[in-house]
Amino acid sequence: MPKDRAPTRIQKKNRAAILEAALNVFSAHGFRGATVDQIAAEAGLSKPNLLYYFPSKEAIHTALLSGLLDVWLAPLHDLDEAGDPMQEMLSYIHRKLEMSRDLPRESRLFANELVQGAPRIHAALSSDLKSLVDEKTAILIRWMEQGKIAKLHPYHLIFSIWALTQHYADFDVQVRAILADEDPFEGAEPFIDTLYRKLLTP
Amino acid sequence: MPKDRAPTRIQKKNRAAILEAALNVFSAHGFRGATVDQIAAEAGLSKPNLLYYFPSKEAIHTALLSGLLDVWLAPLHDLDEAGDPMQEMLSYIHRKLEMSRDLPRESRLFANELVQGAPRIHAALSSDLKSLVDEKTAILIRWMEQGKIAKLHPYHLIFSIWALTQHYADFDVQVRAILADEDPFEGAEPFIDTLYRKLLTP
DNA sequence: CGTGAGTTTGACCAGATGGTCAAATCAAGA
DNA sequence: TCTTGATTTGACCATCTGGTCAAACTCACG
């Protein structure tokens, strides 16, 4: 294992390659379905070499998840009480949909983990995620009380945004099987936009 | 392997026990994460005994999926053009949400399969599912043209229903991590009901 | 109760998989 | 250039896993 001094040029490159490869493999096959050999091959390393940088398959997975959680939650984090409520909501929703389009592997990585009961990130859900959501729902509640947006159950409002946007990444195969040649996001964007304009208008 | 005459009492009992056990295990761990030993143990059989009833792990999975697809699509199948449009939609949505609550294992079984690219049911998606959806969206379009419900992209409308309802089964851990002690479905039902009343009102 | 079909199982196998290790190779600063 | 730590690898191991098989057991029915 590399010492924990400042990482060398090679360490940086290989760690990054491993995480990139792991994202491909884990998001496509889940934790159990992914093999270390596969990740190593995709990263252009031998298996023992890969295990020189990360002590175990589990460690790679953990590093990936915790590294990406911030990225994944950034749009919600940026929801700003000072902005215009409707605009803030629509832009949050828009960013989430963009992430589904541009970062489907990340979405599926989390989906795989969650659908199997989140055995490896349960802690982060009830601490980091929970407190971020609580902080932001507090804003939503104030907006609702000020009559700026419709009064709705704030948690379920958040869930609906996650469900509607991530659906396009997580269940991409199904969406494409039904839409045939149509681009999913071309129709999804105006649909979701309309939905939330109607829903949130008081 | 049992002959394909009329199934004996024992055959019926064991096949059912295996499928029930397999539903538990596959829905919780995905295809790759499930082991034949686990399914056998849960069904109260030895592994060779289990493989006497089904030729392979794959065969169990396939039998499960194809057996449950009809159950899963029944609510959409029952959408009736002769009924009141708004009521038909709301009752479809309601039944889907009930299924998320009462059949979460089934939901996760499909979610696991879909999120990994549906390697084993891709065919059924582009044939059975696609044609059912096409048939029902045709009804939606007529309702929209008659001004009975709001004009929306019919495919994305269907997707939204799937996403919103199945989210509660598939990502149950996350939902519960955030809701703490609150019952997910108690809040979900009125929220989703309100959402679609607003959305579908022309 | 006997018998043949139906059912069950212990022992076993081959391949896959996560992980280890000692030895070899490489890279950068003195 | 030389040395020392960083990097890489081939060979190897233990365990898990899907699946097989022959032998044993059980059940329904004549």
Side-chain angles (χ1 to χ4, degrees), chain B residues 87-136:
Chain B
Q87 273 313 310
E88 283 292 317
M89 290 303 291
L90 290 175
S91 106
Y92 170 53
I93 291 155
H94 195 256
R95 279 184 69 188
K96 284 291 290 176
L97 188 60
E98 271 181 336
M99 289 184 72
S100 251
R101 187 190 58 205
D102 301 336
L103 307 174
R105 296 175 306 168
E106 285 79 351
S107 189
R108 283 194 279 265
L109 181 77
F110 287 111
N112 261 302
E113 177 69 8
L114 287 177
V115 81
Q116 288 178 21
R120 277 165 275 274
I121 52 160
H122 201 278
L125 294 184
S126 7
S127 59
D128 300 3
L129 178 64
K130 167 81 172 143
S131 61
L132 175 64
V133 169
D134 281 347
E135 179 192 329
K136 298 304 179 177

Side-chain angles (χ1 to χ4, degrees), chain A residues 101-173:
Chain A
R101 187 190 57 204
D102 301 336
L103 308 174
R105 296 175 306 169
E106 285 78 350
S107 188
R108 283 194 279 264
L109 181 77
F110 287 111
N112 261 303
E113 178 70 6
L114 287 176
V115 81
Q116 289 178 18
R120 280 166 273 274
I121 53 161
H122 201 277
L125 293 185
S126 4
S127 59
D128 300 3
L129 178 63
K130 166 82 172 143
S131 61
L132 175 63
V133 169
D134 281 347
E135 179 192 328
K136 298 304 179 177
T137 48
I139 298 178
L140 297 185
I141 291 171
R142 265 171 257 137
W143 284 345
M144 290 175 192
E145 284 171 350
Q146 293 162 15
K148 302 287 180 66
I149 58 175
K151 275 196 173 149
L152 296 163
H153 193 304
Y155 287 141
H156 290 279
L157 176 55
I158 300 274
F159 295 155
S160 75
I161 296 169
W162 292 347
L164 282 176
T165 55
Q166 292 172 15
H167 186 86
Y168 291 95
D170 300 344
F171 304 123
D172 178 75
V173 228

